[in-house]
Amino acid sequence: MIAKAPEAADFMRQFSNANRLMLLCQIAREESSVSDIQEALGIKQPALSQQLAELRQAGLVKTRRESRQIYYSIADGRAEAVMGLLFELFCGSEAPSSAGLAERRDGAPAPDVLGDAAHFARIVTSE
């Protein structure tokens, strides 16, 4: 464990920023384009680009180009496992489906995605 501790700490650091965590949450739901992510999360373009670049450099996400669109998906099985655990611990037993994003595109009320971010940012204890 001593030899792997720095690697594990750097890996977990990627999850410690609320914007990066919400990006990973969105991308873990389904492959998403930059415009899809921006629309779903409301993160402004400069911050979005910075956080996506950091996730790419860390090897947690990968890109796929289709025409002029760049799509992001989870590239690291460990990140996928962590996101699954976070969904289970903080968002209920089921990972969110892609239906929420489709509903937002159709104009129906979106699920409270940013409300979940607060649960990721702190540990909630039950009494």
Side-chain angles (χ1 to χ4, degrees), residues 20-66:
R20 280 194 305 269
L21 187 58
M22 291 308 302
L23 285 169
L24 287 167
C25 181
Q26 176 65 33
I27 295 167
R29 291 176 183 199
E30 68 178 342
E31 180 183 63
S32 300
S33 70
V34 173
S35 58
D36 289 340
I37 296 167
Q38 190 172 9
E39 180 183 325
L41 302 180
I43 300 173
K44 296 193 186 300
Q45 183 64 39
L48 180 59
S49 294
Q50 179 184 11
Q51 298 304 332
L52 285 170
E54 184 150 349
L55 291 171
R56 272 192 323 268
Q57 286 177 338
L60 299 183
V61 299
K62 60 185 175 185
T63 60
R64 176 181 65 83
R65 179 178 290 275
E66 187 175 298

Side-chain angles (χ1 to χ4, degrees), residues 5-120:
E7 180 184 351
D10 189 51
F11 176 77
M12 293 308 296
R13 184 183 65 79
Q14 298 303 318
F15 298 89
S16 68
N17 175 285
N19 281 340
R20 280 194 305 269
L21 187 58
M22 291 308 302
L23 285 169
L24 287 167
C25 181
Q26 176 65 33
I27 295 167
R29 291 176 183 199
E30 68 178 342
E31 180 183 63
S32 300
S33 70
V34 173
S35 58
D36 289 340
I37 296 167
Q38 190 172 9
E39 180 183 325
L41 302 180
I43 300 173
K44 296 193 186 300
Q45 183 64 39
L48 180 59
S49 294
Q50 179 184 11
Q51 298 304 332
L52 285 170
E54 184 150 349
L55 291 171
R56 272 192 323 268
Q57 286 177 338
L60 299 183
V61 299
K62 60 185 175 185
T63 60
R64 176 181 65 83
R65 179 178 290 275
E66 187 175 298
S67 184
R68 291 177 37 194
Q69 289 281 352
I70 296 176
Y71 291 88
Y72 287 83
S73 59
I74 300 291
D76 187 313
R78 299 172 305 171
E80 194 169 7
V82 168
M83 292 310 299
L85 179 61
L86 290 173
F87 283 135
E88 185 177 325
L89 291 173
F90 295 101
C91 302
S93 60
E94 291 184 40
S97 69
S98 60
L101 187 58
E103 289 171 7
R104 281 188 288 280
R105 287 184 186 144
D106 294 337
D112 187 11
V113 174
L114 295 178
D116 288 343
H119 294 288
F120 282 117

